[in-house]
Amino acid sequence: MRILRTPDECFTSLPDFDYEPRYAEVADPESDRMIRMAYVEAGPADGEPVLLLHGEPTWSFLYRKMMPVLADAGLRAIAPDLVGFGRSDKPTEVSDHSYARHVEWVRSLAFDTLDLRDVTLVGQDWGGLIGLRLVAENPDRFARVVAANTGLPTGDHPMPDVWWMFREAVEKAEKLDIGRFVASGCKRSIADDVIAGYDAPFPEESYKAGARAMPTLVPTSTDDPATEANRAAWQTLSELDKPFLCAFSDSDPITGPMGPILQRAMAGAAGREHPTITEAGHFLQEDAGDQLATEIASFIRATPR
């Protein structure tokens, strides 16, 4: 496995994101390599931990509007960069990435290194695909779950046409324009310096293997390597009596239909009022991060440990 690290100078002058990066070494489950993962924190060290997991093709920069709101509520907001994204190490081959590897890398960071307990998961896009698996496989570590524009596909149901269009665009792009993809997934326009912030981790095409790999790792048929593990996760989560909040946006054609399904399926979602984040697209943290963070803080206050 060949690994690249984005030079630090690529991350200068990021708008509203002056958090000091922190680093941890996690073991790769399929080799003897150690992988460096980056994360940022805000809020009191003894606050209830809120694990903010981003998806494709973003990084912890996506949570910059939410972290101050959560910190002001007395919570410890922790936003990692998935391997292949942000300041984390970037394996250079698409084949270096697998669903199982990403689940294990985040598990190792959250539990082996940070020893997080009574965690509130916030998962969006791939952050949910990874995070929901973590909750199902380590339920004693979690206090609550927030699913935001995400799902847990098993390959048993077809993906929407708009998702296939996105996957094809990523696979065929000679130059993968990360900032443009993020902007296209927002309902509100975003400034040029913000687009540059999403581009920052990827100075050359060789740094983008993770971003190219992620769409191909979503289970789309029942013979996918992740199908059985995700089916098992559905079974566990549907019976798990932990508070579960669906905070989906009003304008996401990719994951929008998953909101009602999760609300019906998850035991911890029953009888709960689930907010709709208004005027927001797929990247609702970018469009309406303040609103989403306020809903999460209220949810945590309403469901004390």
Side-chain angles (χ1 to χ4, degrees):
M1 183 190 293
R2 190 168 74 91
I3 286 175
L4 296 175
R5 287 182 181 172
T6 304
D8 290 342
E9 55 265 29
C10 292
F11 298 101
T12 58
S13 303
L14 294 168
D16 303 316
F17 197 70
D18 57 356
Y19 300 101
E20 186 70 23
R22 307 180 186 201
Y23 300 97
E25 299 283 331
V26 301
D28 175 49
E30 299 179 24
S31 72
D32 59 357
R33 291 296 302 267
M34 298 298 290
I35 308 291
R36 192 179 80 166
M37 290 188 69
Y39 63 100
V40 293
E41 286 196 22
D46 61 350
E48 288 196 53
V50 182
L51 184 63
L52 304 164
L53 296 184
H54 71 85
E56 156 82 355
T58 60
W59 59 295
S60 56
F61 180 68
L62 180 68
Y63 284 103
R64 71 193 184 284
K65 297 179 181 179
M66 296 177 57
M67 293 179 68
V69 177
L70 297 172
D72 287 346
L75 301 167
R76 180 188 176 193
I78 305 160
D81 294 332
L82 299 182
V83 172
F85 298 85
R87 293 183 172 96
S88 289
D89 279 352
K90 298 175 178 64
T92 59
E93 300 298 325
V94 169
S95 59
D96 292 331
H97 296 265
S98 71
Y99 197 149
R101 261 179 161 164
H102 278 280
V103 171
E104 175 56 22
W105 287 329
V106 177
R107 187 210 63 78
S108 182
L109 173 68
F111 304 146
D112 296 343
T113 299
L114 299 179
D115 194 27
L116 299 180
R117 300 176 185 274
D118 292 322
V119 180
T120 298
L121 169 74
V122 178
Q124 182 263 341
D125 191 88
W126 261 98
L129 272 71
I130 294 168
L132 291 173
R133 279 274 298 275
L134 288 177
V135 175
E137 294 166 10
N138 308 270
D140 58 314
R141 292 282 189 154
F142 290 90
R144 308 168 197 82
V145 179
V146 179
N149 288 3
T150 192
L152 190 61
T154 61
D156 291 294
H157 305 286
M159 299 295 289
D161 290 344
V162 65
W163 181 85
W164 283 107
M165 292 170 60
F166 170 75
R167 172 172 165 164
E168 183 178 10
V170 171
E171 286 183 303
K172 293 186 175 180
E174 182 177 344
K175 181 179 184 297
L176 189 57
D177 192 335
I178 301 291
R180 182 178 66 81
F181 272 119
V182 176
S184 68
C186 296
K187 186 167 184 180
R188 310 180 194 189
S189 61
I190 59 179
D192 289 346
D193 60 345
V194 172
I195 292 175
Y198 286 111
D199 284 328
F202 309 104
E204 298 174 5
E205 292 302 302
S206 56
Y207 290 78
K208 300 177 185 177
R212 289 190 180 275
M214 284 308 216
T216 70
L217 303 182
V218 176
T220 58
S221 67
T222 55
D223 60 357
D224 189 276
T227 289
E228 290 306 317
N230 281 14
R231 284 175 174 168
W234 269 103
Q235 182 65 37
T236 299
L237 292 168
S238 67
E239 300 171 356
L240 192 63
D241 189 22
K242 291 184 185 290
F244 195 111
L245 187 73
C246 295
F248 279 55
S249 70
D250 60 357
S251 300
D252 183 10
I254 297 177
T255 65
M258 281 303 305
I261 294 172
L262 290 170
Q263 290 179 36
R264 292 192 300 268
M266 302 303 169
R272 197 173 306 284
E273 185 174 345
H274 299 273
T276 298
I277 309 303
T278 57
E279 293 296 309
H282 181 63
F283 299 107
L284 71 174
Q285 305 99 313
E286 182 62 51
D287 279 327
D290 291 354
Q291 182 185 354
L292 177 58
T294 299
E295 293 286 358
I296 292 168
S298 297
F299 170 57
I300 294 173
R301 284 195 299 269
T303 54
R305 291 178 293 186

